[in-house]
Amino acid sequence: MVGPIGFRTLVLALEAIRWNPDGPALIVAAPDAAEQVRGGIATLLGAVQAAMAGETWLTPAFTSSTMVYPRTGPPDNGVVYLAMQGGNARAVFFRPDLPADPEWGPFPEMARRLPGARRSEHPVLSFVTVGPRAEAVAAAQSLQDPWGPLRWLHAEGGDVLLLGADPTMNVAIHYVEALAGRKTFLRWALMDRRVVELPGFPGCRRGFGAAAPRLEPITRRVYLSERVFQGLPMGRMVEILLELLRRDPMALLCEDPMCLLCHAVRQHVLYGSRSA
């Protein structure tokens, strides 16, 4: 495709990659997904609204800026506590209008401002939800169950739509990790004028690219200039990756030898160390 991408082209692309045209979807847009779109992020958001008309959709609005760390904590927790102390003074309290981390781009913030949009209240792993069942999706999440919205999406037969986003941004894979019993971590964040504990915190997602070959048979793609829009059915994605993780508990970990998170997972698999 040559030239700016228009609204109608975006709507057609979104409709083409959906597996369940009458169901909900997790939508993850790359920070630069609207770079070549006529009208920018507003046009992209409008196309999502048009393609998902009458249905509920959600998008990650994660905020690591709320996180703090104690001087000491549980072992095998994927963190060097003393090395993280310098960031505590810069941490902010979670609030519903706190912008998502820059790595998620402008899409979550634009979605949050839509009339009727609902943001869940996890101080780090919140989701913005739009549509008739937004309240139910937000209510599905708790501090103890950060992936409740994705469990809801799975139960409802929804899709995962990646708009220019590479597989490392597919946060639904964290939900599969939780189902597989992969080691999780304990983290802390500022919320409601206090520090709250966040159990069940996920590990590294830099290794998620290795899932792409496994998911190739269930991946629908539309190429728009330099961007690729991809759609996966949540149910089949979960089945395929859950089988992979049960067969190979070290699958989808990154290869960085300095990654404390992936190292902790490997140690847990090899030696059965206690999860946080």
Side-chain angles (χ1 to χ4, degrees), residues 1-10 33-47:
M1 175 176 289
V2 179
I5 303 166
F7 173 82
R8 182 59 181 163
T9 299
L10 289 171
E35 195 171 82
Q36 294 175 292
V37 171
R38 185 181 297 112
I41 194 68
T43 300
L44 178 61
L45 182 60

Side-chain angles (χ1 to χ4, degrees), residues 24-75:
L26 169 71
I27 296 178
V28 183
D32 61 353
E35 195 171 82
Q36 294 175 292
V37 171
R38 185 181 297 112
I41 194 68
T43 300
L44 178 61
L45 182 60
V48 168
Q49 285 287 79
M52 296 295 301
E55 296 298 333
T56 300
W57 57 274
L58 58 153
T59 192
F62 297 172
T63 47
S64 61
S65 59
T66 64
M67 296 177 70
V68 292
Y69 293 85
R71 293 183 64 84
T72 61

Side-chain angles (χ1 to χ4, degrees), residues 163-223:
L163 313 186
D166 66 48
T168 66
M169 297 185 74
N170 184 359
V171 297
I173 297 178
H174 283 315
Y175 166 67
V176 183
E177 291 180 307
L179 290 179
R182 173 162 278 181
K183 175 181 171 60
T184 59
F185 301 89
L186 182 65
R187 292 293 183 265
W188 301 263
L190 300 178
M191 183 182 186
D192 298 331
R193 298 189 177 186
R194 60 194 177 98
V195 176
V196 294
E197 284 191 349
L198 307 175
F201 208 83
C204 172
R205 54 186 170 83
R206 288 182 293 166
F208 286 1
R214 304 276 181 170
L215 300 176
E216 181 65 28
I218 62 164
T219 302
R220 289 180 174 173
R221 291 188 181 87
V222 172
Y223 293 89

Side-chain angles (χ1 to χ4, degrees), residues 147 150-151 154 160 170-184 202 208 211 215 233-246 251-252:
W147 307 121
L150 299 182
R151 184 172 290 105
H154 185 198
V160 177
N170 184 359
V171 297
I173 297 178
H174 283 315
Y175 166 67
V176 183
E177 291 180 307
L179 290 179
R182 173 162 278 181
K183 175 181 171 60
T184 59
F208 286 1
L215 300 176
M234 180 77 163
R236 287 290 292 130
M237 187 199 79
V238 169
E239 290 175 9
I240 291 169
L241 296 185
L242 193 55
E243 179 184 2
L244 171 64
L245 290 174
R246 285 173 174 168
L252 308 184

Side-chain angles (χ1 to χ4, degrees), residues 53-195:
E55 296 298 333
T56 300
W57 57 274
L58 58 153
T59 192
F62 297 172
T63 47
S64 61
S65 59
T66 64
M67 296 177 70
V68 292
Y69 293 85
R71 293 183 64 84
T72 61
D76 306 316
N77 199 25
V79 63
V80 177
Y81 295 99
L82 291 179
M84 304 302 291
Q85 298 305 298
N88 286 350
R90 298 188 295 274
V92 299
F93 281 89
F94 177 76
R95 61 182 193 275
D97 64 345
L98 183 66
D101 292 341
E103 68 174 314
W104 299 101
F107 188 81
E109 180 64 11
M110 291 286 288
R112 186 189 67 80
R113 294 172 180 268
L114 287 171
R118 178 77 163 83
R119 188 180 195 175
S120 60
E121 297 182 357
H122 195 286
V124 180
L125 303 174
S126 69
F127 290 85
V128 170
T129 311
V130 178
R133 293 185 283 176
E135 288 290 341
V137 177
Q141 188 181 53
S142 67
L143 299 185
Q144 293 71 35
D145 184 15
W147 307 121
L150 299 182
R151 184 172 290 105
W152 177 92
L153 182 72
H154 185 198
E156 294 293 325
D159 293 332
V160 177
L161 307 183
L162 306 176
L163 313 186
D166 66 48
T168 66
M169 297 185 74
N170 184 359
V171 297
I173 297 178
H174 283 315
Y175 166 67
V176 183
E177 291 180 307
L179 290 179
R182 173 162 278 181
K183 175 181 171 60
T184 59
F185 301 89
L186 182 65
R187 292 293 183 265
W188 301 263
L190 300 178
M191 183 182 186
D192 298 331
R193 298 189 177 186
R194 60 194 177 98
V195 176

